[in-house]
């Protein structure tokens, strides 16, 4: 809100260069916020996919959570009026790689009743297969 008031003042005083710089900063902040939200939902999605792969089973809760995370990622990633996406598929893959270790830590608390730590659970899961599965689940088609 503070930034919008500052922007208004800059426009009213005719300081277009400073106003444009502030607009660029606001755009960057907005995109970073969307990337952080996508990252968080990727962790949730990865946790359940890791549990599915390691335990070779699924539950209704996991399935619903997976669908909810996918829907949230797709909704956040699609600009309301403009075409395209905030995060491209290669950037999403990078986010998934970054989120994977955190998701593995979280999954270790739940999979097999929490008897394995993240290092031991990692031996039971194919990281690349999970990331590729996640990319396939998140739809980039208009």
């Amino acid at each position: 809100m503070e930034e919008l008031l500052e922007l208004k003042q800059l426009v009213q005083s005719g300081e277009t260069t400073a106003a444009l710089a502030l607009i660029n900063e606001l755009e960057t902040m907005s995109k970073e916020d969307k990337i952080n939200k996508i990252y968080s939902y990727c962790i949730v999605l990865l946790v359940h996919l890791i549990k599915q792969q390691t335990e070779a089973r699924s539950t209704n809760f996991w399935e619903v959570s997976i669908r909810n995370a996918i829907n949230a990622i797709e909704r956040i990633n699609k600009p309301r009026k403009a075409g395209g996406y905030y995060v491209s598929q290669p950037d999403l893959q990078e986010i998934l790689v970054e989120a994977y270790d955190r998701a593995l830590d979280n999954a270790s608390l739940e999979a097999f009743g929490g008897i394995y730590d993240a290092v031991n659970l990692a031996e039971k899961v194919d990281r690349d297969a999970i990331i590729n599965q996640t990319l396939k689940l998140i739809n980039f088609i208009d």
Side-chain angles (χ1 to χ4, degrees):
M1 186 66 178
E2 188 176 308
E3 289 88 355
L4 291 176
L5 293 174
E6 181 181 347
L7 179 60
K8 181 180 177 182
Q9 291 171 347
L10 290 170
V11 170
Q12 288 174 337
S13 65
E15 297 179 50
T16 53
T17 303
L20 289 172
L22 183 56
I23 288 170
N24 287 335
E25 184 179 328
L26 290 170
E27 286 175 339
T28 301
M29 288 170 46
S30 175
K31 186 172 181 179
E32 285 298 318
D33 180 57
K34 292 183 185 314
I35 290 169
N36 288 335
K37 287 179 182 176
I38 289 170
Y39 174 85
S40 294
Y41 281 109
C42 283
I43 290 171
V44 171
L45 179 54
L46 287 167
V47 165
H48 294 298
L49 295 176
I50 290 167
K51 291 188 303 186
Q52 281 183 335
Q53 188 182 96
T54 58
E55 292 192 12
R57 69 181 185 94
S58 191
T59 68
N60 191 41
F61 178 80
W62 297 354
E63 295 294 332
V64 171
S65 186
I66 288 168
R67 284 194 305 272
N68 287 342
I70 291 167
N71 289 338
I73 291 166
E74 290 174 349
R75 183 177 36 80
I76 292 165
N77 199 30
K78 185 86 172 130
R80 299 278 185 257
K81 295 180 183 179
Y85 300 95
Y86 290 108
V87 176
S88 66
Q89 190 159 354
D91 290 339
L92 179 62
Q93 184 168 358
E94 187 177 315
I95 290 169
L96 289 167
V97 168
E98 290 174 17
Y100 184 83
D101 287 338
R102 184 158 176 210
L104 188 63
D105 276 343
N106 292 350
S108 73
L109 299 173
E110 299 177 30
F112 301 103
I115 63 172
Y116 298 107
D117 64 12
V119 173
N120 292 327
L121 189 62
E123 296 170 357
K124 300 182 177 306
V125 66
D126 182 343
R127 176 183 164 267
D128 292 337
I130 292 288
I131 289 174
N132 288 332
Q133 178 185 6
T134 307
L135 287 168
K136 287 177 187 173
L137 289 171
I138 300 170
N139 193 359
F140 271 90
I141 300 170
D142 289 328

PDB file of all heavy atoms in Angstrom, residues 5 9-10 22 35 44 47 60-61 64 69-70 77 79 94-95 98-100 102 104-105 112 117-118 126:
ATOM      1  N   LEU A   5       0.933   4.513  -2.767  1.00  0.00           N
ATOM      2  CA  LEU A   5       0.840   5.932  -2.431  1.00  0.00           C
ATOM      3  C   LEU A   5       2.046   6.693  -2.977  1.00  0.00           C
ATOM      4  O   LEU A   5       1.911   7.804  -3.506  1.00  0.00           O
ATOM      5  CB  LEU A   5       0.720   6.117  -0.917  1.00  0.00           C
ATOM      6  CG  LEU A   5      -0.571   5.604  -0.274  1.00  0.00           C
ATOM      7  CD1 LEU A   5      -0.497   5.708   1.236  1.00  0.00           C
ATOM      8  CD2 LEU A   5      -1.767   6.358  -0.814  1.00  0.00           C
ATOM      9  N   GLN A   9       2.062   9.714  -5.819  1.00  0.00           N
ATOM     10  CA  GLN A   9       2.752  10.997  -5.638  1.00  0.00           C
ATOM     11  C   GLN A   9       3.742  11.266  -6.772  1.00  0.00           C
ATOM     12  O   GLN A   9       3.846  12.392  -7.267  1.00  0.00           O
ATOM     13  CB  GLN A   9       3.473  11.029  -4.288  1.00  0.00           C
ATOM     14  CG  GLN A   9       2.536  11.086  -3.104  1.00  0.00           C
ATOM     15  CD  GLN A   9       3.267  10.907  -1.767  1.00  0.00           C
ATOM     16  OE1 GLN A   9       4.423  10.510  -1.741  1.00  0.00           O
ATOM     17  NE2 GLN A   9       2.559  11.206  -0.680  1.00  0.00           N
ATOM     18  N   LEU A  10       4.461  10.243  -7.181  1.00  0.00           N
ATOM     19  CA  LEU A  10       5.422  10.407  -8.270  1.00  0.00           C
ATOM     20  C   LEU A  10       4.726  10.777  -9.582  1.00  0.00           C
ATOM     21  O   LEU A  10       5.194  11.647 -10.315  1.00  0.00           O
ATOM     22  CB  LEU A  10       6.251   9.130  -8.453  1.00  0.00           C
ATOM     23  CG  LEU A  10       7.248   8.803  -7.351  1.00  0.00           C
ATOM     24  CD1 LEU A  10       7.826   7.401  -7.539  1.00  0.00           C
ATOM     25  CD2 LEU A  10       8.360   9.842  -7.302  1.00  0.00           C
ATOM     26  N   LEU A  22       9.642   2.496  -9.920  1.00  0.00           N
ATOM     27  CA  LEU A  22       8.832   1.924  -8.840  1.00  0.00           C
ATOM     28  C   LEU A  22       7.875   0.865  -9.397  1.00  0.00           C
ATOM     29  O   LEU A  22       7.679  -0.183  -8.766  1.00  0.00           O
ATOM     30  CB  LEU A  22       8.059   3.019  -8.101  1.00  0.00           C
ATOM     31  CG  LEU A  22       7.224   2.570  -6.911  1.00  0.00           C
ATOM     32  CD1 LEU A  22       8.083   1.821  -5.885  1.00  0.00           C
ATOM     33  CD2 LEU A  22       6.559   3.772  -6.261  1.00  0.00           C
ATOM     34  N   ILE A  35       6.108 -16.732  -7.331  1.00  0.00           N
ATOM     35  CA  ILE A  35       7.096 -17.813  -7.357  1.00  0.00           C
ATOM     36  C   ILE A  35       7.181 -18.485  -5.986  1.00  0.00           C
ATOM     37  O   ILE A  35       7.237 -19.717  -5.894  1.00  0.00           O
ATOM     38  CB  ILE A  35       8.474 -17.283  -7.813  1.00  0.00           C
ATOM     39  CG1 ILE A  35       8.418 -16.913  -9.296  1.00  0.00           C
ATOM     40  CG2 ILE A  35       9.570 -18.306  -7.540  1.00  0.00           C
ATOM     41  CD1 ILE A  35       9.618 -16.146  -9.795  1.00  0.00           C
ATOM     42  N   VAL A  44       4.236 -29.299  -1.238  1.00  0.00           N
ATOM     43  CA  VAL A  44       3.081 -30.124  -0.864  1.00  0.00           C
ATOM     44  C   VAL A  44       2.882 -31.235  -1.891  1.00  0.00           C
ATOM     45  O   VAL A  44       2.701 -32.411  -1.535  1.00  0.00           O
ATOM     46  CB  VAL A  44       1.807 -29.253  -0.746  1.00  0.00           C
ATOM     47  CG1 VAL A  44       0.569 -30.108  -0.571  1.00  0.00           C
ATOM     48  CG2 VAL A  44       1.950 -28.251   0.387  1.00  0.00           C
ATOM     49  N   VAL A  47       5.698 -33.881  -1.695  1.00  0.00           N
ATOM     50  CA  VAL A  47       5.583 -34.730  -0.500  1.00  0.00           C
ATOM     51  C   VAL A  47       4.676 -35.920  -0.780  1.00  0.00           C
ATOM     52  O   VAL A  47       5.025 -37.076  -0.509  1.00  0.00           O
ATOM     53  CB  VAL A  47       5.067 -33.923   0.724  1.00  0.00           C
ATOM     54  CG1 VAL A  47       4.594 -34.855   1.834  1.00  0.00           C
ATOM     55  CG2 VAL A  47       6.139 -32.990   1.243  1.00  0.00           C
ATOM     56  N   ASN A  60      -7.011 -41.329  -0.252  1.00  0.00           N
ATOM     57  CA  ASN A  60      -7.904 -40.295  -0.769  1.00  0.00           C
ATOM     58  C   ASN A  60      -7.377 -38.909  -0.387  1.00  0.00           C
ATOM     59  O   ASN A  60      -7.404 -37.979  -1.190  1.00  0.00           O
ATOM     60  CB  ASN A  60      -9.327 -40.503  -0.256  1.00  0.00           C
ATOM     61  CG  ASN A  60     -10.324 -39.613  -0.971  1.00  0.00           C
ATOM     62  OD1 ASN A  60     -10.250 -39.436  -2.178  1.00  0.00           O
ATOM     63  ND2 ASN A  60     -11.252 -39.046  -0.218  1.00  0.00           N
ATOM     64  N   PHE A  61      -6.876 -38.784   0.843  1.00  0.00           N
ATOM     65  CA  PHE A  61      -6.326 -37.506   1.286  1.00  0.00           C
ATOM     66  C   PHE A  61      -5.166 -37.072   0.400  1.00  0.00           C
ATOM     67  O   PHE A  61      -5.073 -35.917   0.002  1.00  0.00           O
ATOM     68  CB  PHE A  61      -5.863 -37.595   2.748  1.00  0.00           C
ATOM     69  CG  PHE A  61      -5.237 -36.327   3.247  1.00  0.00           C
ATOM     70  CD1 PHE A  61      -6.022 -35.263   3.664  1.00  0.00           C
ATOM     71  CD2 PHE A  61      -3.853 -36.181   3.261  1.00  0.00           C
ATOM     72  CE1 PHE A  61      -5.441 -34.074   4.096  1.00  0.00           C
ATOM     73  CE2 PHE A  61      -3.269 -35.007   3.702  1.00  0.00           C
ATOM     74  CZ  PHE A  61      -4.070 -33.945   4.118  1.00  0.00           C
ATOM     75  N   VAL A  64      -6.493 -35.949  -3.074  1.00  0.00           N
ATOM     76  CA  VAL A  64      -7.124 -34.630  -3.012  1.00  0.00           C
ATOM     77  C   VAL A  64      -6.067 -33.538  -2.826  1.00  0.00           C
ATOM     78  O   VAL A  64      -6.121 -32.485  -3.471  1.00  0.00           O
ATOM     79  CB  VAL A  64      -8.189 -34.572  -1.893  1.00  0.00           C
ATOM     80  CG1 VAL A  64      -8.685 -33.157  -1.665  1.00  0.00           C
ATOM     81  CG2 VAL A  64      -9.361 -35.490  -2.240  1.00  0.00           C
ATOM     82  N   ALA A  69      -3.028 -28.987  -4.918  1.00  0.00           N
ATOM     83  CA  ALA A  69      -1.739 -28.336  -5.177  1.00  0.00           C
ATOM     84  C   ALA A  69      -1.578 -28.031  -6.663  1.00  0.00           C
ATOM     85  O   ALA A  69      -1.139 -26.936  -7.035  1.00  0.00           O
ATOM     86  CB  ALA A  69      -0.590 -29.204  -4.674  1.00  0.00           C
ATOM     87  N   ILE A  70      -1.942 -28.986  -7.516  1.00  0.00           N
ATOM     88  CA  ILE A  70      -1.851 -28.760  -8.964  1.00  0.00           C
ATOM     89  C   ILE A  70      -2.737 -27.596  -9.375  1.00  0.00           C
ATOM     90  O   ILE A  70      -2.303 -26.697 -10.115  1.00  0.00           O
ATOM     91  CB  ILE A  70      -2.234 -30.038  -9.741  1.00  0.00           C
ATOM     92  CG1 ILE A  70      -1.177 -31.115  -9.542  1.00  0.00           C
ATOM     93  CG2 ILE A  70      -2.422 -29.738 -11.234  1.00  0.00           C
ATOM     94  CD1 ILE A  70      -1.612 -32.493 -10.000  1.00  0.00           C
ATOM     95  N   ASN A  77      -0.027 -19.472 -11.477  1.00  0.00           N
ATOM     96  CA  ASN A  77       0.922 -19.292 -12.568  1.00  0.00           C
ATOM     97  C   ASN A  77       0.313 -18.635 -13.807  1.00  0.00           C
ATOM     98  O   ASN A  77       1.045 -18.171 -14.668  1.00  0.00           O
ATOM     99  CB  ASN A  77       1.543 -20.636 -12.955  1.00  0.00           C
ATOM    100  CG  ASN A  77       2.810 -20.487 -13.728  1.00  0.00           C
ATOM    101  OD1 ASN A  77       3.544 -19.515 -13.560  1.00  0.00           O
ATOM    102  ND2 ASN A  77       3.087 -21.444 -14.585  1.00  0.00           N
ATOM    103  N   PRO A  79      -1.527 -15.633 -15.568  1.00  0.00           N
ATOM    104  CA  PRO A  79      -2.002 -14.250 -15.415  1.00  0.00           C
ATOM    105  C   PRO A  79      -3.499 -14.150 -15.746  1.00  0.00           C
ATOM    106  O   PRO A  79      -3.985 -14.851 -16.638  1.00  0.00           O
ATOM    107  CB  PRO A  79      -1.170 -13.465 -16.429  1.00  0.00           C
ATOM    108  CG  PRO A  79       0.029 -14.309 -16.674  1.00  0.00           C
ATOM    109  CD  PRO A  79      -0.428 -15.736 -16.506  1.00  0.00           C
ATOM    110  N   GLU A  94      13.229 -25.989 -12.317  1.00  0.00           N
ATOM    111  CA  GLU A  94      14.238 -25.490 -11.373  1.00  0.00           C
ATOM    112  C   GLU A  94      13.641 -25.327  -9.971  1.00  0.00           C
ATOM    113  O   GLU A  94      14.277 -25.682  -8.972  1.00  0.00           O
ATOM    114  CB  GLU A  94      14.775 -24.151 -11.868  1.00  0.00           C
ATOM    115  CG  GLU A  94      15.928 -23.611 -11.073  1.00  0.00           C
ATOM    116  CD  GLU A  94      16.471 -22.316 -11.652  1.00  0.00           C
ATOM    117  OE1 GLU A  94      16.642 -22.232 -12.884  1.00  0.00           O
ATOM    118  OE2 GLU A  94      16.707 -21.379 -10.861  1.00  0.00           O
ATOM    119  N   ILE A  95      12.423 -24.826  -9.893  1.00  0.00           N
ATOM    120  CA  ILE A  95      11.740 -24.686  -8.605  1.00  0.00           C
ATOM    121  C   ILE A  95      11.546 -26.062  -7.963  1.00  0.00           C
ATOM    122  O   ILE A  95      11.764 -26.242  -6.763  1.00  0.00           O
ATOM    123  CB  ILE A  95      10.384 -23.955  -8.771  1.00  0.00           C
ATOM    124  CG1 ILE A  95      10.621 -22.483  -9.108  1.00  0.00           C
ATOM    125  CG2 ILE A  95       9.523 -24.101  -7.518  1.00  0.00           C
ATOM    126  CD1 ILE A  95       9.369 -21.735  -9.542  1.00  0.00           C
ATOM    127  N   GLU A  98      14.737 -27.313  -6.491  1.00  0.00           N
ATOM    128  CA  GLU A  98      15.009 -26.599  -5.240  1.00  0.00           C
ATOM    129  C   GLU A  98      14.106 -27.085  -4.110  1.00  0.00           C
ATOM    130  O   GLU A  98      14.532 -27.171  -2.960  1.00  0.00           O
ATOM    131  CB  GLU A  98      14.805 -25.097  -5.433  1.00  0.00           C
ATOM    132  CG  GLU A  98      15.841 -24.424  -6.301  1.00  0.00           C
ATOM    133  CD  GLU A  98      15.515 -22.967  -6.582  1.00  0.00           C
ATOM    134  OE1 GLU A  98      14.678 -22.372  -5.868  1.00  0.00           O
ATOM    135  OE2 GLU A  98      16.102 -22.414  -7.526  1.00  0.00           O
ATOM    136  N   ALA A  99      12.858 -27.388  -4.427  1.00  0.00           N
ATOM    137  CA  ALA A  99      11.878 -27.780  -3.406  1.00  0.00           C
ATOM    138  C   ALA A  99      12.003 -29.245  -3.004  1.00  0.00           C
ATOM    139  O   ALA A  99      11.500 -29.643  -1.941  1.00  0.00           O
ATOM    140  CB  ALA A  99      10.459 -27.508  -3.922  1.00  0.00           C
ATOM    141  N   TYR A 100      12.667 -30.039  -3.800  1.00  0.00           N
ATOM    142  CA  TYR A 100      12.677 -31.484  -3.584  1.00  0.00           C
ATOM    143  C   TYR A 100      13.228 -31.889  -2.219  1.00  0.00           C
ATOM    144  O   TYR A 100      12.611 -32.700  -1.518  1.00  0.00           O
ATOM    145  CB  TYR A 100      13.455 -32.184  -4.710  1.00  0.00           C
ATOM    146  CG  TYR A 100      13.398 -33.673  -4.582  1.00  0.00           C
ATOM    147  CD1 TYR A 100      12.305 -34.381  -5.066  1.00  0.00           C
ATOM    148  CD2 TYR A 100      14.403 -34.379  -3.945  1.00  0.00           C
ATOM    149  CE1 TYR A 100      12.223 -35.756  -4.928  1.00  0.00           C
ATOM    150  CE2 TYR A 100      14.335 -35.760  -3.801  1.00  0.00           C
ATOM    151  CZ  TYR A 100      13.242 -36.429  -4.293  1.00  0.00           C
ATOM    152  OH  TYR A 100      13.157 -37.792  -4.144  1.00  0.00           O
ATOM    153  N   ARG A 102      13.447 -30.256   0.566  1.00  0.00           N
ATOM    154  CA  ARG A 102      12.524 -29.878   1.644  1.00  0.00           C
ATOM    155  C   ARG A 102      11.325 -30.818   1.671  1.00  0.00           C
ATOM    156  O   ARG A 102      10.871 -31.234   2.743  1.00  0.00           O
ATOM    157  CB  ARG A 102      12.079 -28.428   1.457  1.00  0.00           C
ATOM    158  CG  ARG A 102      11.214 -27.943   2.579  1.00  0.00           C
ATOM    159  CD  ARG A 102      11.217 -26.452   2.688  1.00  0.00           C
ATOM    160  NE  ARG A 102      10.288 -26.048   3.714  1.00  0.00           N
ATOM    161  CZ  ARG A 102       9.639 -24.910   3.691  1.00  0.00           C
ATOM    162  NH1 ARG A 102       9.839 -24.043   2.734  1.00  0.00           N
ATOM    163  NH2 ARG A 102       8.800 -24.606   4.649  1.00  0.00           N
ATOM    164  N   LEU A 104      11.318 -33.891   0.610  1.00  0.00           N
ATOM    165  CA  LEU A 104      11.805 -35.182   1.085  1.00  0.00           C
ATOM    166  C   LEU A 104      11.881 -35.192   2.617  1.00  0.00           C
ATOM    167  O   LEU A 104      11.484 -36.170   3.257  1.00  0.00           O
ATOM    168  CB  LEU A 104      13.174 -35.482   0.476  1.00  0.00           C
ATOM    169  CG  LEU A 104      13.750 -36.867   0.701  1.00  0.00           C
ATOM    170  CD1 LEU A 104      12.872 -37.939   0.071  1.00  0.00           C
ATOM    171  CD2 LEU A 104      15.154 -36.944   0.140  1.00  0.00           C
ATOM    172  N   ASP A 105      12.359 -34.099   3.202  1.00  0.00           N
ATOM    173  CA  ASP A 105      12.377 -33.984   4.666  1.00  0.00           C
ATOM    174  C   ASP A 105      10.978 -34.130   5.238  1.00  0.00           C
ATOM    175  O   ASP A 105      10.757 -34.862   6.206  1.00  0.00           O
ATOM    176  CB  ASP A 105      12.944 -32.625   5.100  1.00  0.00           C
ATOM    177  CG  ASP A 105      14.454 -32.595   5.151  1.00  0.00           C
ATOM    178  OD1 ASP A 105      15.072 -33.669   5.176  1.00  0.00           O
ATOM    179  OD2 ASP A 105      15.005 -31.484   5.162  1.00  0.00           O
ATOM    180  N   PHE A 112       5.845 -44.311   5.796  1.00  0.00           N
ATOM    181  CA  PHE A 112       6.175 -45.455   6.641  1.00  0.00           C
ATOM    182  C   PHE A 112       6.113 -45.108   8.127  1.00  0.00           C
ATOM    183  O   PHE A 112       6.908 -45.595   8.933  1.00  0.00           O
ATOM    184  CB  PHE A 112       7.561 -46.013   6.294  1.00  0.00           C
ATOM    185  CG  PHE A 112       7.701 -46.454   4.869  1.00  0.00           C
ATOM    186  CD1 PHE A 112       8.383 -45.673   3.950  1.00  0.00           C
ATOM    187  CD2 PHE A 112       7.136 -47.653   4.441  1.00  0.00           C
ATOM    188  CE1 PHE A 112       8.510 -46.072   2.623  1.00  0.00           C
ATOM    189  CE2 PHE A 112       7.260 -48.056   3.123  1.00  0.00           C
ATOM    190  CZ  PHE A 112       7.945 -47.264   2.216  1.00  0.00           C
ATOM    191  N   ASP A 117      14.637 -41.458   8.061  1.00  0.00           N
ATOM    192  CA  ASP A 117      14.997 -40.050   7.913  1.00  0.00           C
ATOM    193  C   ASP A 117      15.086 -39.738   6.422  1.00  0.00           C
ATOM    194  O   ASP A 117      14.939 -40.626   5.573  1.00  0.00           O
ATOM    195  CB  ASP A 117      16.290 -39.713   8.660  1.00  0.00           C
ATOM    196  CG  ASP A 117      17.512 -40.431   8.125  1.00  0.00           C
ATOM    197  OD1 ASP A 117      17.464 -41.035   7.027  1.00  0.00           O
ATOM    198  OD2 ASP A 117      18.549 -40.402   8.806  1.00  0.00           O
ATOM    199  N   ALA A 118      15.322 -38.485   6.085  1.00  0.00           N
ATOM    200  CA  ALA A 118      15.315 -38.060   4.685  1.00  0.00           C
ATOM    201  C   ALA A 118      16.370 -38.782   3.858  1.00  0.00           C
ATOM    202  O   ALA A 118      16.134 -39.142   2.701  1.00  0.00           O
ATOM    203  CB  ALA A 118      15.508 -36.551   4.601  1.00  0.00           C
ATOM    204  N   ASP A 126      12.928 -42.382  -6.635  1.00  0.00           N
ATOM    205  CA  ASP A 126      13.622 -41.924  -7.843  1.00  0.00           C
ATOM    206  C   ASP A 126      13.305 -40.438  -8.033  1.00  0.00           C
ATOM    207  O   ASP A 126      12.232 -40.078  -8.517  1.00  0.00           O
ATOM    208  CB  ASP A 126      13.155 -42.741  -9.041  1.00  0.00           C
ATOM    209  CG  ASP A 126      13.857 -42.362 -10.336  1.00  0.00           C
ATOM    210  OD1 ASP A 126      14.464 -41.274 -10.418  1.00  0.00           O
ATOM    211  OD2 ASP A 126      13.778 -43.166 -11.287  1.00  0.00           O
TER     212      ASP A 126
END
